[in-house]
């Protein structure tokens, strides 16, 4: 990619992620892509895993919990604005918004998101509502 790219966060979502969160696509380069994810207050995502990509999320607003499991390691982490988490390839994950406002995060996906077949449903600890 030999061009600069600039984009403002869209007012409405571009898509609904396989986990049920609202996605606003921000930018993409050869090595990765970036998007804004939002889960409404009181909602719980579907539990998913990714086949080939890994992600880093940085939370912008809200409060919630993130469940992650990879191999034999499993944990639930309280998340809020100002925190970052990683999702290595193959991590099973699910998140929920527990505050009074939407849980919002910026996610960087490496390599770039390849398409709808990337994510697959897994069994998570909570009942999905998104």
């Amino acid at each position: 990619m030999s061009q600069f790219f600039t984009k403002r966060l869209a007012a409405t979502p571009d898509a609904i992620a396989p986990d049920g969160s609202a996605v606003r696509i921000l930018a993409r380069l050869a090595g990765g892509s970036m998007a804004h994810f939002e889960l409404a207050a009181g909602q719980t995502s579907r539990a998913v895993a990714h086949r080939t990509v890994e992600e880093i999320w940085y939370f912008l607003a809200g409060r919630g919990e993130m469940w992650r499991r990879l191999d034999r390691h499993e944990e639930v982490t309280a998340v809020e604005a100002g925190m970052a988490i990683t999702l290595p390839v193959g991590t099973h994950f699910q998140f929920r918004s527990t505050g009074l406002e939407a849980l919002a995060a910026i996610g960087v996906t490496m390599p770039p998101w390849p398409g709808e077949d990337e994510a697959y449903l897994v069994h998570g600890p909570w009942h999905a509502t998104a």
Side-chain angles (χ1 to χ4, degrees), residues 21-106:
S21 61
V23 179
R24 290 170 176 84
I25 299 166
L26 291 170
R28 180 184 182 104
L29 287 170
S33 57
M34 183 169 58
H36 178 276
F37 299 94
E38 188 172 274
L39 190 64
Q43 295 292 301
T44 301
S45 75
R46 290 187 286 276
V48 297
H50 297 153
R51 298 178 197 288
T52 63
V53 301
E54 57 189 356
E55 294 184 326
I56 300 171
W57 288 21
Y58 177 76
F59 291 90
L60 301 169
R63 291 181 181 271
E65 293 180 305
M66 172 71 79
W67 166 76
R68 294 175 285 179
R69 183 176 69 208
L70 183 61
D71 301 323
R72 294 184 177 157
H73 184 73
E74 181 174 5
E75 68 183 42
V76 174
T77 304
V79 294
E80 62 185 353
M83 295 181 71
I85 59 102
T86 61
L87 298 167
V89 175
T91 299
H92 294 200
F93 69 97
Q94 184 177 26
F95 55 104
R96 60 185 179 178
S97 177
T98 59
L100 299 176
E101 65 178 316
L103 183 61
I106 296 291

